Amino acid sequence: MDAEAEREAQLAARVREHLQPGETLRAAVWVSRPDGPASAGPTRAEMSPFRFRRPVPAGPGARPGVHGAPRSRAVDLDGHIRIVTDPRILARTDRRLLVLAKRLGSWRDLFRPASGALPPLRLCWECPRADLASATGPGGRLRLTFTDGSAVTLLTPAAGLPPFLAA
């Protein structure tokens, strides 16, 4: 078994620790959000002196790629997704959609070199599987649309996307 396959097996094992009795893991994928605007430089709107007159929305759902009311499933999910340097795990089961994150260890873990093993996970967010209307994804971008009409687009490794979409 190569290193990547072993890491995926470890990931699946760690996700299974959070499943309910009788629940089946269908797929899991690392997800993140873009870490800010593109590196093309500031836009005219950002340079305009009038930008200070209009309040810039900073609340839930204000990020590009998130569509929905403040209490919608997509906005709630987006609140638990971080940038690419701190990815989350999105797991799809036969009953739920879960977001898991690496659990913070003790202060001693800060001084230990990182091993190849995945640290324990903690459950950050969940919703019933029935609330997910569709999952689509061209080239490393996963778009989740929920039954409440909200949607969110997340970044994923391109190789992990097809198994997640097929689940």
Side-chain angles (χ1 to χ4, degrees):
M1 183 182 285
D2 68 348
E4 184 62 29
E6 186 171 328
R7 185 161 168 82
E8 291 301 318
Q10 285 180 2
L11 174 64
R14 294 286 165 77
V15 171
R16 282 187 186 97
E17 294 172 3
H18 295 277
L19 300 185
Q20 298 167 347
E23 189 173 21
T24 305
L25 176 63
R26 301 283 188 212
V29 66
W30 291 96
V31 295
S32 61
R33 69 166 78 148
D35 58 357
S39 60
T43 65
R44 276 188 179 176
E46 292 170 333
M47 296 300 293
S48 169
F50 298 109
R51 73 183 184 280
F52 297 113
R53 292 185 183 180
R54 288 177 276 149
V56 176
R63 186 180 71 76
V66 181
H67 306 282
R71 294 185 184 267
S72 66
R73 289 284 186 203
V75 172
D76 193 27
L77 168 62
D78 185 62
H80 296 281
I81 304 298
R82 303 294 179 256
I83 61 173
V84 294
T85 57
D86 186 18
R88 300 292 194 238
I89 298 159
L90 181 66
R92 192 174 184 176
T93 74
D94 58 338
R95 297 181 194 166
R96 299 180 294 165
L97 197 61
L98 311 168
V99 173
L100 300 147
K102 293 182 237 176
R103 184 176 294 165
L104 298 175
S106 69
W107 64 272
R108 290 185 185 111
D109 294 337
L110 295 173
F111 301 103
R112 285 187 206 150
S115 67
L118 189 65
L121 300 174
R122 65 182 166 84
L123 180 64
C124 297
W125 180 87
E126 66 180 310
C127 81
R129 170 66 181 85
D131 287 358
L132 179 64
S134 69
T136 57
R141 295 202 181 259
L142 173 63
R143 181 171 176 82
L144 301 173
T145 305
F146 294 92
T147 55
D148 64 2
S150 63
V152 61
T153 301
L154 305 170
L155 298 178
T156 65
L161 192 52
F164 189 86
L165 295 174

